[in-house]
Amino acid sequence: MDKKRVIIIGASYGGLHAAKEFHNREEFEVLVFDKKSFHYLQTEAYDFIANKSNISDITIDIGSYINKLSSNIRFIKQKVLEFDAEHKTIHTASDFYSYDYLIIATGARTNFPTFIKGLRENSHGVKTLFRALGFKQKFESTIYDYILNNAFEHQKDYNIIIGGAGLSGVEIASEMAYIIQTDFKRLGIRCLGFNITLIDAAESILPGMDRQIIYATVKRLKSLGVHIKTKSFIKEVFPNELILNDGEKMQYDFMIFTGGIKAEPIKSNKEYELNRYNQYIIDDYYNIKGESCVFAIGDVADIRDGDLPVPPTAQSAEQSGSVVAKNIIRLEKHQQPIVKKPIMRGMFIALGGKYAVGTLYDKIVFKGYMAYLIKKIITNFYKMFLKP
Ligand SMILES: Cc1cc2nc3c(=O)[nH]c(=O)nc-3n(C[C@H](O)[C@H](O)[C@H](O)COP(=O)(O)OP(=O)(O)OC[C@H]3O[C@@H](n4cnc5c(N)ncnc54)[C@H](O)[C@@H]3O)c2cc1C
């Protein structure tokens, strides 16, 4: 029997979940491509920045995980440059590969809107491990400099600005504020001059999230001394100063931007419809428009439930990956593919130290240490599933 070849581009939350569905399905040959050798656990970035974990805790070796699966699934560490749906091929810098089905799971990176002048040049992101590492090192040396030169005299304030109060912005702000509070206390230093400000253009932080979660998060951020500035749009960024839409100028020493994502679609000889975040427009089966054998999952896809966009999360990447792989298996059995949108089972937000808030199935709200424990359990299950 001729094996059907499935190519998966991107081996992270979405791509690895798709790959696992082909375990012991010898009727398929699966080639998983990633430009990196590791899967970066972005959801754990807050712990890494806080020095509670190291690189090995927030990465999974893709090759080792794929080797655990059946031999019909292989990992190829190469960047995919282009695909051609007409001839059903992809190519990397050195090779061409043909496919029967193609799953694009290339995720997204931080979006630094070009209309905000100076933003890209003057701010840090955390969407890649390289950036998270750079940010962590910079943050540590900042604290060191502050202690060395400033802490006792309080001659100069140190201002950190975080642009974007979504999930990642809120987690990073809380973790930094917590480190400053606790570490400085341990060192016997008062930290009156260290300010963290979270800025968002929306009406509130965590736009679109449950009201109770927003309320609990605002309370926690305030108790950690984080300043919150909503309905504020960053207009222009200079090396140590930014300007808001209403003309207000804010001085800063260090700036992080987590204000949104820009998807990373794969180049093609044909134009495909993308939304304003560069995500592929897909149908109910995750097919990119007009292509019955090409699918997009996770952050690179404009996943919707009815008219509403599904937030780009690890959960939706995992679930969309599994559904697409299962549908490919069904198609080969001449069965109807199923329509299944990701379900948000819960959302837990780390808010500094051993404190988190979260909901399960949009109903039960957890706060404090219990929420932190649940978040840890979820992460550990995920890692157990992937660790070699
Ligand atoms: C700080 C932070 C905290 C977060 N917290 C949470 C949380 O608590 N819960 C939650 O559900 N979500 C959270 N998210 C969001 C979550 O991390 C993303 O939604 C998730 O990573 C999307 O998974 P993905 O598989 O679609 O893409 P990604 O994880 O972005 O992976 C894409 C993969 O594709 C590879 N790739 C890209 N282009 C190519 C190419 N041309 N060739 C080969 N390989 C390629 C990349 O190397 C990468 O491995 C958080 C994100 C951040 C930044």
Side-chain angles (χ1 to χ4, degrees):
M1 188 184 67
D2 265 358
K3 286 189 185 224
K4 292 288 175 184
R5 183 184 274 179
V6 179
I7 286 185
I8 302 173
I9 313 175
S12 183
Y13 297 95
L16 290 179
H17 268 73
K20 144 182 149 293
E21 296 294 337
F22 295 99
H23 178 58
N24 285 335
R25 299 267 177 190
E26 296 299 330
E27 64 278 29
F28 292 95
E29 181 196 19
V30 180
L31 304 183
V32 182
F33 286 79
D34 204 293
K35 57 188 176 188
K36 298 186 276 80
S37 58
F38 57 86
H39 160 31
Y40 164 41
L41 302 177
Q42 294 176 39
T43 54
E44 303 312 300
Y46 68 94
D47 247 3
F48 178 62
I49 288 157
N51 258 337
K52 285 191 271 177
S53 63
N54 58 41
I55 287 184
S56 69
D57 295 313
I58 58 156
T59 55
I60 305 282
D61 182 63
I62 300 169
S64 308
Y65 172 67
I66 298 281
N67 284 341
K68 274 202 316 186
L69 301 175
S70 46
S71 60
N72 60 321
I73 307 171
R74 277 197 293 138
F75 172 52
I76 300 174
K77 187 192 162 293
Q78 282 186 42
K79 180 174 179 169
V80 175
L81 300 178
E82 201 167 347
F83 76 97
D84 174 346
E86 194 189 335
H87 298 100
K88 292 192 164 183
T89 54
I90 61 142
H91 81 83
T92 65
S94 54
D95 299 297
F96 273 87
Y97 296 84
S98 60
Y99 65 82
D100 295 292
Y101 297 99
L102 177 65
I103 303 177
I104 303 175
T106 43
R109 56 192 157 76
T110 305
N111 182 25
F112 294 94
T114 46
F115 57 83
I116 305 179
K117 268 203 266 167
L119 179 67
R120 182 76 196 82
E121 298 82 344
N122 295 305
S123 61
H124 297 254
V126 285
K127 275 291 274 177
T128 65
L129 181 58
F130 175 71
R131 285 194 169 273
L133 181 64
F135 167 51
K136 173 191 165 105
Q137 288 167 344
K138 175 87 181 138
F139 182 50
E140 270 177 0
S141 63
T142 297
I143 292 185
Y144 174 74
D145 282 350
Y146 184 82
I147 290 170
L148 192 68
N149 302 319
N150 214 21
F152 295 98
E153 295 95 8
H154 293 302
Q155 285 165 347
K156 181 185 172 295
D157 278 4
Y158 196 94
N159 300 318
I160 298 177
I161 286 183
I162 301 172
L167 187 58
S168 40
V170 159
E171 284 192 336
I172 305 272
S174 321
E175 212 53 67
M176 286 198 303
Y178 184 81
I179 296 172
I180 291 164
Q181 253 190 19
T182 51
D183 282 11
F184 277 35
K185 208 181 271 172
R186 219 178 305 139
L187 288 164
I189 296 167
R190 291 181 308 137
C191 52
L192 297 175
F194 224 113
N195 306 307
I196 299 180
T197 307
L198 198 51
I199 300 181
D200 203 291
E203 293 269 319
S204 81
I205 62 159
L206 299 172
M209 284 207 189
D210 179 279
R211 300 302 312 167
Q212 292 186 73
I213 293 286
I214 295 174
Y215 179 75
T217 304
V218 169
K219 210 167 149 201
R220 172 70 174 171
L221 286 167
K222 286 190 173 161
S223 77
L224 289 170
V226 175
H227 308 285
I228 300 172
K229 222 171 158 42
T230 48
K231 292 187 255 176
S232 300
F233 192 88
I234 299 168
K235 192 174 150 204
E236 192 164 359
V237 186
F238 298 97
N240 284 104
E241 184 182 79
L242 62 78
I243 302 178
L244 299 175
N245 243 10
D246 61 6
E248 183 184 341
K249 292 181 177 168
M250 294 179 75
Q251 308 295 317
Y252 73 87
D253 297 276
F254 189 61
M255 179 166 175
I256 301 140
F257 190 71
T258 59
I261 61 164
K262 190 117 198 163
E264 300 219 285
I266 297 284
K267 211 173 138 210
S268 170
N269 53 344
K270 201 168 143 189
E271 293 257 307
Y272 292 100
E273 198 183 340
L274 306 172
N275 68 10
R276 65 193 175 110
Y277 306 111
N278 258 6
Q279 293 168 312
Y280 288 108
I281 303 295
I282 51 167
D283 66 15
D284 280 348
Y285 302 99
Y286 299 93
N287 283 116
I288 67 172
K289 272 207 162 166
E291 301 296 349
S292 59
C293 296
V294 184
F295 304 84
I297 58 169
D299 280 8
V300 79
D302 180 2
I303 304 177
R304 285 175 177 266
D305 196 356
D307 283 341
L308 291 176
V310 173
T313 61
Q315 291 179 62
S316 54
E318 291 165 26
Q319 292 178 44
S320 56
S322 292
V323 170
V324 163
K326 283 180 180 150
N327 275 343
I328 291 174
I329 295 166
R330 290 176 74 85
L331 284 169
E332 282 304 305
K333 289 183 182 163
H334 305 288
Q335 293 170 345
Q336 264 297 316
I338 49 164
V339 175
K340 201 166 170 205
K341 299 292 174 184
I343 301 164
M344 289 291 280
R345 298 190 183 110
M347 179 53 76
F348 284 83
I349 307 170
L351 292 176
K354 292 188 165 72
Y355 191 103
V357 298
T359 50
L360 278 180
Y361 292 98
D362 272 346
K363 289 193 176 69
I364 318 162
V365 177
F366 294 90
K367 278 187 268 185
Y369 184 58
M370 177 58 107
Y372 172 82
L373 271 185
I374 298 173
K375 184 167 170 80
K376 280 283 153 221
I377 291 168
I378 296 169
T379 307
N380 287 338
F381 265 119
Y382 184 74
K383 285 201 211 164
M384 255 164 53
F385 152 78
L386 289 172
K387 274 280 180 201

